[in-house]
Amino acid sequence: MTAPSRYAIYFAAGSDSALSRFGAELLGYDAYTGDELPFPDPALHVAPDWRDITADPRTYGFHGTLKAPMALAPGRTEAELLAACAVFAGEARPVPLIRPVVDAISGFIAVIPAEPVDALQELAADCVRAFDGFRTALTAEDRARRKPEKLSERQRDYLDRWGYPYVMEEFRFHMTLTGRLDAERRGPILQMLRARFAALGLETLPVDRIALFKQDDAGAKFRIVGEWELVR
């Protein structure tokens, strides 16, 4: 039986932005176009197995999670979800502004905020709540894959309530660039990524849009099927 399509509400920086090009080149995949891209030479120089290092984040495309991947609940449609995204984006709210840096988070390397930003936490929490009615119920298999025995009590509660453990107070915004790496490997890779990121000259980053990503089946990469700027 074919697995159903999955959808996620992510932040993506815009198809023509330097940040999106930076992430797409490093992951070797552009979620806007669905194109495979050649890896930059500096990445292959520091890690000849760069394709393997980036295999997991490449599946999802370069993004910051706001509402984690979900299959649609029975009776809900993609058209309804697209319409709901437009409504959400049209509701006036503070647009988060972060100071982006490249750093390690839970063993992998990502673009993250240099310091916490309340408006970003609120935006993510709003997304979790607003789109939860589209999410199909978590199956026992899905829950087991999250290894609930390794989660805190609050994370388990969030997993059962929202289908994902890292929401609300547990949410940490990140735009992933690598899979998990041990400390010895992380050092030179982090140095290379920081140098490439510094060349962008990106001192601030507005989290000013949402994008709907779709995965057609379990073997496919996520691709952007809609994008909306947030009303300020």
Side-chain angles (χ1 to χ4, degrees):
M1 187 166 161
T2 304
S5 299
R6 292 197 300 164
Y7 297 84
I9 290 88
Y10 291 156
F11 166 73
S15 60
D16 59 350
S17 72
L19 180 59
S20 284
R21 291 193 299 273
F22 165 83
E25 289 171 0
L26 287 163
L27 297 184
Y29 172 65
D30 186 336
Y32 280 96
T33 64
D35 292 337
E36 302 281 338
L37 303 175
F39 298 120
D41 287 339
L44 294 171
H45 178 74
V46 74
D49 60 342
W50 190 256
R51 173 170 292 278
D52 295 333
I53 285 173
T54 56
D56 186 57
R58 183 162 52 252
T59 295
Y60 299 90
F62 187 56
H63 73 276
T65 298
L66 296 171
K67 179 70 172 176
M70 59 186 180
L72 292 184
R76 304 313 297 258
T77 68
E78 180 179 314
E80 290 174 333
L81 183 53
L82 286 163
C85 287
V87 170
F88 181 90
E91 297 169 349
R93 57 173 43 85
V95 171
L97 186 67
I98 68 172
R99 183 167 64 89
V101 297
V102 172
D103 210 343
I105 174 173
S106 299
F108 53 88
I109 299 173
V111 177
I112 64 173
E115 51 273 320
V117 175
D118 289 344
L120 182 52
Q121 297 295 119
E122 292 165 7
L123 173 63
D126 286 348
C127 273
V128 168
R129 297 186 191 100
F131 297 104
D132 203 58
F134 286 92
R135 177 178 62 84
T136 195
L138 200 67
T139 67
E141 288 182 352
D142 289 336
R143 190 178 189 277
R145 274 195 288 270
R146 285 290 174 190
K147 297 183 172 26
E149 69 280 1
K150 295 185 177 181
L151 300 174
S152 69
E153 183 178 355
R154 182 164 66 183
Q155 289 168 346
R156 284 194 298 274
D157 288 344
Y158 285 156
L159 176 62
D160 293 333
R161 172 62 185 89
W162 303 108
Y164 190 63
Y166 307 113
V167 298
M168 310 306 174
E169 302 94 332
E170 299 294 325
F171 171 75
R172 291 190 292 171
F173 181 84
H174 56 280
M175 304 182 76
T176 309
L177 294 168
T178 72
R180 281 190 170 84
L181 302 166
D182 61 39
E184 185 177 346
R185 290 216 72 187
R186 243 184 350 253
I189 292 172
L190 187 56
Q191 184 178 10
M192 179 273 296
L193 290 173
R194 282 175 169 166
R196 290 185 66 82
F197 186 73
L200 302 182
L202 191 64
E203 296 184 1
T204 59
L205 173 64
V207 182
D208 60 356
R209 63 191 63 219
I210 60 170
L212 182 63
F213 282 55
K214 179 182 181 180
Q215 183 187 40
D216 289 326
D217 57 61
K221 296 182 181 68
F222 279 81
R223 185 168 176 182
I224 294 171
V225 294
E227 186 179 31
W228 302 264
E229 286 195 33
L230 299 177
V231 171
R232 301 171 189 250

